[in-house]
Amino acid sequence: MVMAFVTMVSLHEIALGHRSYFGRRHANKSVNASDSLDIRIKAAACNPIDRAVALLGKTRTGFMFEACERRAEEVLLDRTVFALGPEVYTGYLARLDAPAQANERLKRTISTKAPRDDA
């Protein structure tokens, strides 16, 4: 098997807590189960967080949860690994290395003047 790093992932598997993304501990938890997470931060670091919380009308906990969840998804999406057979991997590399094929949509896009060109 050849390992290829590709930035695509099944969001369905992430949402279900698939083992390859979250490890064994979370894979068997029910959908309604919850954990607690306690963090300690300096007062100075709370100031911008509290200002953002006030602007959004959220709780600090809700705001922090959303920020953590968003960052976790970014990390997971960046590090997704697909195992490909040698033939598929060779074909994948060949498509990446091949020159772009001209098509009508690409030609139309290239020939269209940008709005800033009229100014």
Side-chain angles (χ1 to χ4, degrees):
M1 267 304 147
V2 176
M3 301 303 270
F5 292 92
V6 182
T7 57
M8 290 174 35
V9 69
S10 167
L11 293 177
H12 177 70
E13 287 182 346
I14 289 177
L16 293 176
H18 193 270
R19 287 180 191 201
S20 63
Y21 299 106
F22 296 111
R24 299 185 84 80
R25 178 172 167 235
H26 297 285
N28 297 323
K29 281 196 163 195
S30 74
V31 175
N32 296 324
S34 65
D35 272 336
S36 66
L37 174 65
D38 300 322
I39 60 171
R40 294 192 184 277
I41 56 176
K42 295 183 179 188
C46 281
N47 291 337
I49 294 169
D50 289 340
R51 289 186 4 233
V53 164
L55 285 171
L56 295 174
K58 297 185 179 231
T59 64
R60 188 188 291 171
T61 300
F63 180 81
M64 295 299 289
F65 176 75
E66 286 179 12
C68 291
E69 191 176 40
R70 198 170 31 252
R71 180 63 179 135
E73 186 174 286
E74 288 173 12
V75 169
L76 294 171
L77 290 172
D78 266 352
R79 289 165 177 80
T80 301
V81 177
F82 289 91
L84 305 174
E87 306 84 29
V88 175
Y89 184 67
T90 302
Y92 173 74
L93 290 179
R95 287 185 178 169
L96 288 177
D97 293 337
Q101 298 294 318
N103 60 55
E104 287 305 314
R105 187 172 175 188
L106 179 60
K107 288 178 186 176
R108 189 174 57 247
T109 300
I110 291 173
S111 64
T112 303
K113 287 178 87 175
R116 65 181 175 274
D117 292 342
D118 292 334

